[in-house]
Amino acid sequence: MPAEQENYNCIYRQQLTELLSRYGELAEVWFDGSNIVPVADILQKYAPRAMIFQGPQATIAWIGNEEGVARYPTWNAMPTEKARSGVSTGYDSDPDGDAWLPSECDARIRADWFWSTKNAATLKSGEQLMGMYYRSVGHGAVLLLNHTPDTTGRIPEADARRAAEFGAEIRRRFGKSLAETTGRGNIVEIDLGKPTRLDHVITAEDIAEGERVREYVLEGLTGSAWDQLLRRHRHRPQENRPVRVRRSVEVALRVTHAAAEPQIRRLAAFSVWGEHIPAENVSEMSTVTHAIWHWSANSIQPQWTTVKIPLTPCCKDAGVYVLEFARTAGKDLDVQSVNLVSRGQKVDKVVVRRTVRGTTQYHITITEEGSAVELELVARLPDPGSRARRLCSDGSGKSIDSHTTIEHPMKKESVPTP
């Protein structure tokens, strides 16, 4: 009723005023699930520099899941009507949008948001946290990692220690570069001075000028030839990327598509692993491709056919996968739709169709680790002799004869040389 709503609004505003005015400056104000109470004046008066999560005054966007996974790409811009809806997510992002809402990935260091006596064993490992880092910060988003106090009011010692280990590993990997530079234009290069083994590159735009880079290639000068280290068909304001391991004298960022002149704030090369990658970390730097389906006239008909393809055995980790159907005998599989089904329910906005180098791909974001997932494909056979081929992660992978295949998302887009 109107009178009850007005009373609620009054109490809400009093509590928010107390929170923002009596406990020091806050960095971020969360309106979890949006907010319909008018509070713009309170935010402007008491928290003018705070980031606002959800609600009509939002200045950052929820990524759309709670697993620390930023769909690639997720842009920091979106249409104003989406931004002011109060419930926009990274799935609403648009590089040509007219509102600026940086993406935030909220995630848990344990399996649950709150402490309990039963979830200590679910504390994430350092490897799991680094995987989350690559899928959030590495995709240009901000990672917000939840820590919950126990009944003493303190963060549990094991959790605090794991967080410290996580931070130390990030600093070890990215605290000191081999070399770095800034630049303008479509080509920016780093001179390493001598052949140097490198395995990661950070690229960052000057976001004061917006997101300009749309596609780019990273290359390394090995001997007298430039080798491709990484190709990306979208770019985020900052990306931390494992690349194909090479001994290079120079590293070049070549922008192949931009909305305006690229403003590169940072191009930095790293040798995270030195001369030898530890056995336990090889998986981070390699791509593993699994065959998941073989199609032919026996499984697809000339009329529209619905096919269920199990993904659970190959998609145990959260991440972004890429489904690609190979052309056979000059013909493509005629695809009407591709949907992700999780726990028996179709998941909206997680499958995006793109054309990369003339090839149709379906980028699929899986946000829950260990969940039961499958693809629901509706397609028809253009030619009884045609066959399909591969599903891989993050846009790379090797073609494997006439199968549909999948790459593990934790395995990055490169294969280290021996």
Side-chain angles (χ1 to χ4, degrees), residues 196-216:
T196 304
R197 184 182 173 96
L198 65 112
D199 48 40
H200 284 70
V201 172
I202 289 179
T203 60
E205 290 188 79
D206 180 1
I207 59 174
E209 302 295 331
E211 295 173 296
R212 298 185 171 195
V213 177
R214 298 293 189 261
E215 300 177 3
Y216 71 96

Side-chain angles (χ1 to χ4, degrees), residues 274-386:
E275 291 299 315
H276 302 286
I277 302 174
E280 62 269 23
N281 297 107
V282 168
S283 64
E284 295 183 24
M285 297 296 296
S286 62
T287 53
V288 176
T289 304
H290 303 276
I292 62 168
W293 186 50
H294 182 124
W295 62 268
S296 67
N298 294 326
S299 56
I300 294 290
Q301 305 301 316
Q303 63 271 20
W304 293 118
T305 308
T306 300
V307 179
K308 299 291 183 67
I309 306 174
L311 296 182
T312 304
C314 302
C315 301
K316 297 178 181 178
D317 292 303
V320 181
Y321 298 78
V322 178
L323 173 69
E324 182 179 312
F325 299 98
R327 176 177 291 179
T328 302
K331 295 185 179 294
D332 292 313
L333 179 67
D334 192 359
V335 178
Q336 184 183 78
S337 64
V338 176
N339 288 289
L340 181 71
V341 178
S342 177
R343 299 172 182 171
Q345 300 293 322
K346 287 185 181 180
V347 185
D348 293 333
K349 300 181 179 180
V350 297
V351 180
V352 179
R353 178 173 175 165
R354 295 193 177 92
T355 301
V356 178
R357 300 190 300 278
T359 300
T360 299
Q361 296 180 344
Y362 298 85
H363 291 220
I364 303 168
T365 302
I366 295 177
T367 61
E368 293 187 54
E369 296 188 357
S371 61
V373 290
E374 64 181 0
L375 285 180
E376 183 181 272
L377 169 70
V378 179
R380 62 186 177 188
L381 194 67
D383 182 338
S386 297

Side-chain angles (χ1 to χ4, degrees), residues 119-166:
N119 63 11
T122 68
L123 180 64
K124 289 183 172 61
S125 66
E127 181 182 5
Q128 288 175 308
L129 292 174
M130 283 308 304
M132 184 185 295
Y133 179 84
Y134 280 120
R135 297 190 299 255
S136 56
V137 178
H139 287 181
V142 173
L143 175 61
L144 179 68
L145 185 61
N146 179 69
H147 287 66
T148 305
D150 59 21
T151 54
T152 70
R154 296 178 177 273
I155 302 299
E157 181 179 345
D159 298 44
R161 184 167 56 249
R162 184 58 44 78
E165 293 168 354
F166 180 35

Side-chain angles (χ1 to χ4, degrees), residues 54-280:
Q54 297 196 326
Q57 288 77 42
T59 59
I60 54 178
W62 180 42
I63 200 61
N65 64 77
E66 297 178 342
E67 305 300 328
V69 178
R71 185 184 67 169
Y72 192 90
T74 302
W75 305 94
N76 283 331
M78 65 175 60
T80 295
E81 62 270 21
K82 294 288 187 180
R84 297 295 165 252
S85 70
V87 291
S88 61
T89 73
Y91 296 114
D92 297 312
S93 69
D94 182 341
D96 299 317
D98 52 359
W100 184 262
L101 271 74
S103 303
E104 181 176 84
C105 293
D106 57 318
R108 300 146 296 185
I109 198 166
R110 295 191 182 193
D112 308 305
W113 284 108
F114 300 103
W115 178 89
S116 81
T117 58
K118 299 179 180 180
N119 63 11
T122 68
L123 180 64
K124 289 183 172 61
S125 66
E127 181 182 5
Q128 288 175 308
L129 292 174
M130 283 308 304
M132 184 185 295
Y133 179 84
Y134 280 120
R135 297 190 299 255
S136 56
V137 178
H139 287 181
V142 173
L143 175 61
L144 179 68
L145 185 61
N146 179 69
H147 287 66
T148 305
D150 59 21
T151 54
T152 70
R154 296 178 177 273
I155 302 299
E157 181 179 345
D159 298 44
R161 184 167 56 249
R162 184 58 44 78
E165 293 168 354
F166 180 35
E169 180 62 11
I170 293 171
R171 289 189 292 273
R172 186 197 71 77
R173 296 191 186 198
F174 303 114
K176 182 175 177 56
S177 65
L178 296 170
E180 57 185 86
T181 189
T182 61
R184 302 165 63 98
N186 291 330
I187 300 178
V188 178
E189 298 181 350
I190 306 173
D191 186 351
L192 301 178
K194 61 180 181 180
T196 304
R197 184 182 173 96
L198 65 112
D199 48 40
H200 284 70
V201 172
I202 289 179
T203 60
E205 290 188 79
D206 180 1
I207 59 174
E209 302 295 331
E211 295 173 296
R212 298 185 171 195
V213 177
R214 298 293 189 261
E215 300 177 3
Y216 71 96
V217 176
L218 286 171
E219 297 177 334
L221 182 60
T222 305
S224 60
W226 287 95
D227 289 337
Q228 182 172 297
L229 305 177
L230 178 70
R231 172 182 288 272
R232 297 306 292 170
H233 294 273
R234 296 293 186 269
H235 185 261
R236 294 301 316 280
Q238 175 167 320
E239 297 185 2
N240 299 38
R241 289 287 181 183
V243 297
R244 193 179 303 274
V245 178
R246 287 289 186 270
R247 288 188 178 277
S248 300
V249 178
E250 295 183 30
V251 176
L253 169 69
R254 305 189 190 279
V255 178
T256 57
H257 181 206
E261 183 185 36
Q263 311 286 319
I264 305 305
R265 180 174 59 84
R266 189 185 189 200
L267 174 64
F270 297 83
S271 181
V272 167
W273 302 119
E275 291 299 315
H276 302 286
I277 302 174
E280 62 269 23

Side-chain angles (χ1 to χ4, degrees), residues 283 285-289 396-398 407 411-415:
S283 64
M285 297 296 296
S286 62
T287 53
V288 176
T289 304
S396 70
K398 305 299 182 182
E407 283 181 4
K411 314 303 191 272
K412 303 304 173 181
E413 354 191 352
S414 54
V415 179

